[in-house]
Amino acid sequence: MGDLKLPDFFNYPPYFTLQPVRDTREKQVQLWKELILNYCKHHKIFIVSLEEEFPLFSNPAIDRKLSYEAKKVFLSALVSEGRAEWLDKGQKNCLILWRRIQDWAEYILKFVRENGLEDGVMTLEEIRSGVESRGTELAGIDRIVLIRALKLLEQRGKAVMFKGTSTDDEGVKFSA
Amino acid sequence: MRRRPGISGLQNAAAALDKYRELGENVATIRKDLMKEQLATFREQLEEFARKHKNDIKKNPAFRSQFHEMCAKVGVDPLASNKGFWAELLGIGDFYYELGVQIVDICLATRSHNGGLIELEELRSLLSKRRRSSREAISEDDCLRAISKLKALGSGFEVFSVGKKKLVRSVPTELNKDHNEILEMAQVQGYVMAKEVERRLSWSSGRAADALETLLKEGLAMIDDGHPDGKRRYWFPCIGSSLSGAVDADVLSLGN
């Protein structure tokens, strides 16, 4: 996996200033939304915080960075499309769904079948960092995203989640 | 000729006039036929030439442009119709028709980025990228020809010069002299600042602000407040940003 090639607009200064004219703003938001999703997918990033440094939001080469307001506009646009969710009321931390929850659920089902785990039991930690997950996109998956996807599978009767004595013991029994 | 009185004199004079006219007409007919013949020969040779150099005309833009010039001189327009000899031989009408359609596509696709104004050279390079597979080089002359064909559709395409560069406009925005002067200034760095416009063009601040505001509203300019000196810059994506290619990579893949 090589470095993500950043689009040319990332090197064009005005894209770091919120545009006042509607059409231009729409185009700008669209480009940033795509870039955020691609970037997070490439680097397996699940949470973007508005108050912490995030490399994508500044470009030292042209000496420009996004304002707090601009970041919030772009992330909110993702949220309104269902491609992200605010994790807190203050809207400072954002969960980026570069793969939608239902797509994660499908991905897990495929993973389960490929590993002959149709009736198997796994802990969440095993899914996130076990041998089977190595080399798949489940390696390092965010806990919140994983639990949401498993809950969806539970609703469909494809899995049952159970709690252990500690978070380490949280697990799931598949019935795929 | 001495005038002779009497009826016979008058008749003679009329007869002589008829003779002269007849002779004159003969000469004219002979000349016309000769001209026709020459022109026919020339066209024949032009056709022969076109047949012989079909591939050069198709592949080499400089050659193509010279061929067009030659055609224009004898009143042949290979683009006039898709039917007939020229089209069948060269497919040249189709060629420009196709270019025209692709130009419209590119202009539409990049419009949200550049406000409907694009440098001719950038348009040409996007067009070439899109036509990569056909391996025929496209020149600016080809673009201009294709655009002039588009004009016939009343689609509002226009090519105009700003400074040294040619811009293609695909939106009906009327740009006035003030706007053009700002665009010309922006060619140096890609952006201008209001104060700079006022100073360099000796404008009042209201005049500069008005012009910049219009350019912004038309989607031709973008503001940039991120410079450390805190002064607002107005960037013009239609000029020298070579951005459209990356911004609209998806457009390129749509083509053949």
Side-chain angles (χ1 to χ4, degrees):
Chain A
M1 194 161 70
D3 268 350
L4 179 71
K5 193 192 170 298
L6 292 167
D8 285 357
F9 87 81
F10 191 71
N11 290 311
Y12 198 57
Y15 276 96
F16 284 81
T17 300
L18 272 180
Q19 293 303 310
V21 175
R22 205 195 67 203
D23 286 356
T24 319
R25 164 87 72 107
E26 270 173 20
K27 176 77 180 179
Q28 180 188 27
V29 171
Q30 183 61 32
L31 288 170
W32 274 103
K33 276 193 309 200
E34 285 164 18
L35 179 57
I36 293 169
L37 288 178
N38 285 338
Y39 185 87
C40 288
K41 179 169 188 190
H42 187 86
H43 294 283
K44 296 251 166 75
I45 292 165
F46 289 89
I47 293 170
V48 172
S49 168
L50 282 184
E51 292 185 326
E52 282 163 34
E53 286 286 316
F54 188 52
L56 188 64
F57 289 161
S58 65
N59 184 354
I62 55 166
D63 201 9
R64 293 291 186 280
K65 57 174 192 281
L66 289 180
S67 65
Y68 189 90
E69 191 200 354
K71 292 184 217 172
K72 196 150 180 173
V73 166
F74 301 150
L75 289 175
S76 298
L78 281 174
V79 170
S80 70
E81 265 175 27
R83 299 309 300 264
E85 284 171 23
W86 293 114
L87 290 171
D88 46 351
K89 275 221 173 96
Q91 303 193 341
K92 298 207 183 327
N93 298 294
C94 194
L95 185 68
I96 310 293
L97 296 170
W98 39 268
R99 177 172 281 149
R100 291 185 173 87
I101 296 293
Q102 68 257 35
D103 296 333
W104 274 116
E106 289 302 321
Y107 191 89
I108 293 169
L109 273 187
K110 202 170 133 254
F111 165 83
V112 164
R113 286 180 188 134
E114 276 168 9
N115 287 283
L117 289 161
E118 281 91 338
D119 293 308
V121 174
M122 281 185 99
T123 66
L124 298 197
E125 274 318 302
E126 275 174 327
I127 296 177
R128 295 183 62 213
S129 55
V131 191
E132 290 88 351
S133 311
R134 212 166 287 164
T136 74
E137 302 217 337
L138 289 172
I141 186 175
D142 181 77
R143 246 187 114 75
I144 303 169
V145 175
L146 178 59
I147 291 173
R148 296 267 303 277
L150 289 175
K151 277 197 176 137
L152 192 65
L153 288 178
E154 203 168 35
Q155 282 169 20
R156 292 190 201 157
K158 305 270 186 197
V160 179
M161 288 172 74
F162 54 83
K163 283 203 166 63
T165 44
S166 67
T167 46
D168 293 352
D169 292 342
E170 270 184 278
V172 58
K173 181 178 187 315
F174 295 108
S175 47
Chain B
M1 186 168 72
R2 196 170 66 87
R3 276 186 65 147
R4 282 183 298 173
I7 288 176
S8 75
L10 284 174
Q11 279 170 339
N12 276 348
L17 215 59
D18 276 348
K19 284 276 182 216
Y20 283 135
R21 192 185 296 129
E22 206 175 297
L23 191 67
E25 272 169 7
N26 274 344
V27 170
T29 321
I30 290 168
R31 276 207 188 140
K32 208 165 79 186
D33 285 351
L34 204 66
M35 287 276 278
K36 264 187 189 163
E37 209 174 293
Q38 275 177 345
L39 210 58
T41 316
F42 196 92
R43 286 180 72 144
E44 243 167 60
Q45 279 175 356
L46 195 63
E47 286 175 12
E48 181 63 32
F49 176 87
R51 201 176 283 125
K52 235 191 221 165
H53 297 282
K54 188 177 165 183
N55 283 335
D56 289 320
I57 292 170
K58 278 190 161 172
K59 299 264 184 251
N60 181 344
F63 202 92
R64 188 156 57 231
S65 148
Q66 282 166 3
F67 176 72
H68 275 301
E69 247 172 63
M70 227 159 69
C71 288
K73 277 186 187 141
V74 283
V76 172
D77 183 2
L79 301 184
S81 151
N82 274 334
K83 290 185 190 123
F85 169 77
W86 292 99
E88 275 165 37
L89 179 64
L90 295 171
I92 221 167
D94 286 341
F95 171 76
Y96 285 101
Y97 173 70
E98 202 179 286
L99 274 194
V101 171
Q102 289 166 344
I103 285 174
V104 172
D105 265 4
I106 290 173
C107 287
L108 278 179
T110 55
R111 187 174 290 176
S112 63
H113 168 67
N114 57 27
L117 212 57
I118 188 167
E119 259 180 51
L120 183 60
E121 171 47 33
E122 196 187 348
L123 178 64
R124 192 201 61 77
S125 103
L126 287 176
L127 205 52
S128 296
K129 256 188 237 165
R130 182 173 167 161
R131 299 174 57 88
R132 230 175 347 215
S133 56
S134 62
R135 289 168 58 205
E136 293 159 3
I138 305 295
S139 68
E140 290 199 353
D141 182 74
D142 291 329
C143 293
L144 291 175
R145 271 176 213 287
I147 291 169
S148 75
K149 295 285 134 189
L150 289 175
K151 267 188 210 157
L153 301 172
S155 51
F157 274 73
E158 194 193 41
V159 182
F160 64 102
S161 295
V162 169
K164 285 180 201 143
K165 293 185 175 166
K166 284 201 178 77
L167 294 179
V168 179
R169 198 186 69 185
S170 62
V171 286
T173 322
E174 279 298 334
L175 293 180
N176 64 28
K177 202 166 148 289
D178 283 8
H179 302 138
N180 281 350
E181 279 184 80
I182 290 177
L183 285 176
E184 190 172 344
M185 235 176 99
Q187 282 176 15
V188 185
Q189 294 170 293
Y191 68 85
V192 298
M193 293 186 275
K195 283 271 173 264
E196 190 190 0
V197 172
E198 290 162 23
R199 198 186 58 238
R200 293 261 303 276
L201 301 174
S202 311
W203 288 0
S204 69
S205 60
R207 184 172 172 189
D210 269 0
L212 287 169
E213 190 58 27
T214 307
L215 289 166
L216 206 58
K217 279 218 181 83
E218 296 294 345
L220 294 172
M222 291 178 83
I223 56 164
D224 164 29
D225 293 334
H227 193 276
D229 69 12
K231 288 177 189 151
R232 174 170 287 187
R233 281 148 174 77
Y234 293 81
W235 291 79
F236 299 87
C238 56
I239 286 171
S241 71
S242 63
L243 262 178
S244 320
V247 169
D248 291 281
D250 49 328
V251 184
L252 299 174
S253 57
L254 287 177
N256 38 7

